Amino acid sequence: MAGLQHHKIALDPAIIRLGNMSSNRYRYFRWTPRTAWITFMYVAVVPSIVGVIAYSTDGKYDLRAKRRGDIISEY
């Protein structure tokens, strides 16, 4: 058993290039208007929307000790 090399397959060059590109992505990154806009959306807009929704529904739902048929909204 020792010394046998199982699963010998031919490596696809396209998959190897994709792996190298993925691991070296930071070297090829450029700030463009599109990447700046996407970054702004993920850093500022999405957390703001989640925060507004969380603040508006704070304390509205109580899921503790509910039985079948009980409503979960408090007000």
Side-chain angles (χ1 to χ4, degrees):
M1 288 197 137
L4 294 178
Q5 295 179 353
H6 297 290
H7 306 293
K8 284 199 147 204
I9 59 171
L11 298 175
D12 188 5
I15 294 176
I16 292 172
R17 280 195 309 268
L18 177 66
N20 289 336
M21 182 67 181
S22 297
S23 62
N24 296 320
R25 188 175 303 268
Y26 68 95
R27 293 181 185 174
Y28 303 106
F29 181 78
R30 300 268 188 248
W31 280 108
T32 62
R34 181 177 184 268
T35 57
W37 179 250
I38 291 171
T39 303
F40 175 73
M41 292 301 247
Y42 279 115
V43 169
V45 175
V46 172
S48 299
I49 292 171
V50 171
V52 167
I53 292 171
Y55 184 74
S56 66
T57 60
D58 185 33
K60 184 173 183 179
Y61 301 108
D62 185 21
L63 300 176
R64 279 177 87 165
K66 296 294 182 181
R67 296 184 182 172
R68 188 182 311 180
D70 291 346
I71 58 173
I72 61 170
S73 64
E74 293 295 319
Y75 54 91

